Amino acid sequence: VQLQASGGGLVQAGDSLRLSCKDSKRTSSNNGMGWFRQAPGKEREFVASISWRGDSTTYADSVKGRFTISRDNAKNTVYLQMNSLKPEDTAVYYCAQRIGPGPGASMYRYWGQGTQVTVSS
């Protein structure tokens, strides 16, 4: 698995978590990266993306103001800081490498196994 997501867990509403995504093959430093999530019975949805330099970020409306995506290219790692978590944020979170424009999942590759985030009310 090239992209290893970690940091998920079971938290209460209002808590915070920081997810990490490490690229074991060190090929992502020149690519934009993104976080997606998939809740049971729902389609995978875009959460956030970041440019390869880290100077441009995009967020889904549902997480704006609560989540922050960042990256450390020296560590080949992308982060997702999640604050003020809500029960509706419960999902498996995946990171992926961007290969094309736009937030669609088809523009990303190297999905990995994801990390479970569960937010209780």
Side-chain angles (χ1 to χ4, degrees):
V1 177
Q2 177 166 346
L3 298 179
Q4 183 78 30
S6 62
L10 172 62
V11 297
Q12 293 187 332
D15 286 349
S16 299
L17 277 176
R18 188 176 82 154
L19 306 183
S20 298
C21 171
K22 186 164 180 66
D23 182 354
S24 62
K25 296 191 176 181
R26 305 177 184 180
T27 65
S28 299
S29 59
N30 292 325
N31 290 81
M33 297 291 292
W35 284 97
F36 286 72
R37 65 187 182 187
Q38 187 167 18
K42 295 187 177 180
E43 293 187 356
R44 191 168 297 188
E45 65 172 356
F46 170 80
V47 175
S49 66
I50 188 167
S51 62
W52 71 272
R53 284 196 185 97
D55 57 353
S56 177
T57 57
T58 304
Y59 296 93
D61 287 344
S62 58
V63 307
K64 275 181 184 175
R66 300 188 298 122
F67 291 11
T68 302
I69 188 171
S70 62
R71 67 188 300 164
D72 185 338
N73 286 340
K75 296 182 178 179
N76 300 296
T77 303
V78 178
Y79 304 97
L80 186 68
Q81 177 67 43
M82 305 187 296
N83 299 329
S84 302
L85 282 161
K86 304 175 180 180
E88 50 263 44
D89 294 318
T90 295
V92 177
Y93 283 71
Y94 300 88
C95 61
Q97 185 185 92
R98 189 162 65 197
I99 57 174
S106 62
M107 293 294 105
Y108 288 79
R109 65 182 178 183
Y110 303 149
W111 288 93
Q113 86 291 351
T115 185
Q116 176 72 47
V117 172
T118 303
V119 185
S120 63
S121 57

